[in-house]
Structure formats: C-alpha cells, structure tokens
Amino acid sequence: QQQVKQSPQSLIVQKGGISIINCAYENTAFDYFPWYQQFPGKGPALLIAIRPDVSEKKEGRFTISFNKSAKQFSLHIMDSQPGDSATYFCAASIMDTGRRALTFGSGTRLQVQP
Amino acid sequence: DARVTQTPRDKVTEMGQEVTMRCQPILGHNTVFWYRQTMMQGLELLAYFRNRAPLDDSGMPKDRFSAEMPDATLATLKIQPSEPRDSAVYFCASGFVSGRYNEQFFGPGTRLTVL
C-alpha cells in the first residue's frame, strides 16, 4: 500500500520559474511532513518540514502548503535556480508514537533549465 | 561539521557472499535508521534503533538480513547470503528524535551490486 503518493515524477522548469511538487497521503495519523532534497550520489537532506497545525511554512524560496482536509501537501520553489536541480522526496511520519521512521513518496526529479 | 559516515561507499560482490555495511551516526543522536533505495521501490525503511535497541525491523527480510548496533558509534547491516535483488543503495540516517523533533540526517550511502 503506497501511503504517500507524489507527483509529478519529473519536472522541467525554466530558471526563475516556480516549481510545484504535490503529495497526498492516506494515513490520517501522519502528523509530520518533511521534504528532502537529494543530489546524485548523495544521501537525502532535509529541506523543510511542516506539522498539520499550520497551513503554510516558508523558508527562503521554499514553501510547504498543507491541506489537512484534502490530505495533501505541496512544495513550492520560487525563483527556481539551476542549482535546485535534484530529486525531491516528500515524506510523512507519526510523531506521537515511538515509530518515527519516515514513509517516503516516490520522488520528483526536478530539472531547472538556465 | 558533524555528519553520518558509511562504509564502504561501493561494494560489488557475488551472489551468496556475506556483505557488511557500517554506519557511524552523529554523536549524540539517539536514533539510527537503515533505508534502502531502488528505482523500483524508492526509499524504504529496513530497520531502526532507539538508544541502540532495535525498535522496528519489519522492513527487513529476516532470513538474510540482520541489523545491530554494538555501541553508540557503530551500526551494522549484514546480508548473508546476498542475492542480485539486494542490489541497491543503502542509507543510514541518524537523528535526535524527541517530542516534536524528527530531523533525520542521512549518510552518503553504500551502493551494493550483487552479481
């Protein structure tokens, strides 16, 4: 059962444009939603995270929008740069139990063209 | 600059051989995770430890995989015997998981190829 569905699989954006990646989850017990960025040959690195008590979180050019009723959350990258070209993973976990392991989406390969 | 280290970075072995992957978590972190990444399955959890005690290894094929944390500075993942379908990148991640905090820091991974 795929608990976190991510789309699109790949995305091409022009420099300066907005990149949008979407995720939907099924388990209503999830209450922590991070986004990870992965460059080729590297491990994933935490980019930004949100908890469902807020609808939006912004850090620099990166914004998470969260819709609890729709069980969806998205990553917006404003003013996309070629250096943002990477694979992005959404994830979810349950904070109030001992099980904090992340359930990942399938990933989105972002290419920002100069 | 604290970071998770993993060895080896690359491993090529033949089917049936034992493979041991090692991870040194960031000092002070209380939780260690092992994830596997493949094109088909993406990133999936294999096992994790809290304060060196195994909490969940339901993602691991029990007959061939084993994970241990002999001390706070070393986590190991063993595959015996290895099979071609085990070919993947194996990531170790560590974090200080407490309260509202769940940031996990990933190592660079071990790329395993089983021929």
Side-chain angles (χ1 to χ4, degrees), chain A residues 32 36 38 41-46 51 53 89 93-106 109, chain B residues 9 33 35 37 39 42-43 45 48 50 55-56 58 91 97-108:
Chain A
Y32 173 75
Y36 278 76
Q38 185 179 27
K42 305 290 186 183
L46 179 67
R51 294 205 66 180
D53 50 356
F89 293 92
S93 71
I94 303 169
M95 295 294 280
D96 293 330
T97 69
R99 193 180 194 283
R100 298 291 184 88
L102 296 168
T103 299
F104 284 92
S106 54
R109 180 171 292 184
Chain B
R9 292 295 310 276
F33 303 84
Y35 293 92
Q37 185 174 37
M39 289 296 293
L43 274 160
L45 177 73
Y48 82 104
R50 174 80 47 79
L55 282 192
D56 187 346
S58 59
F91 287 105
V97 177
S98 175
R100 294 174 64 90
Y101 198 65
N102 191 19
E103 181 171 357
Q104 298 178 23
F105 295 81
F106 282 71

Side-chain angles (χ1 to χ4, degrees), chain A residues 15-33:
Chain A
K15 179 182 176 182
I18 302 174
S19 305
I20 302 174
I21 305 171
N22 300 299
C23 282
Y25 62 97
E26 298 171 5
N27 188 346
T28 54
F30 285 143
D31 58 359
Y32 173 75
F33 303 91

Side-chain angles (χ1 to χ4, degrees), chain B residues 41-112:
Chain B
Q41 300 297 326
L43 274 160
E44 52 183 351
L45 177 73
L46 295 176
Y48 82 104
F49 296 79
R50 174 80 47 79
N51 296 320
R52 296 176 53 202
L55 282 192
D56 187 346
D57 61 1
S58 59
M60 258 181 2
K62 300 290 192 306
D63 57 338
R64 299 184 300 107
F65 284 60
S66 63
E68 296 179 345
M69 199 163 177
D71 63 60
T73 65
L74 177 65
T76 63
L77 180 66
K78 290 185 180 180
I79 307 175
Q80 169 62 23
S82 57
E83 297 181 1
R85 60 179 167 154
D86 301 329
S87 297
V89 181
Y90 291 79
F91 287 105
C92 172
S94 74
F96 188 80
V97 177
S98 175
R100 294 174 64 90
Y101 198 65
N102 191 19
E103 181 171 357
Q104 298 178 23
F105 295 81
F106 282 71
T110 294
R111 180 177 297 276
L112 173 65

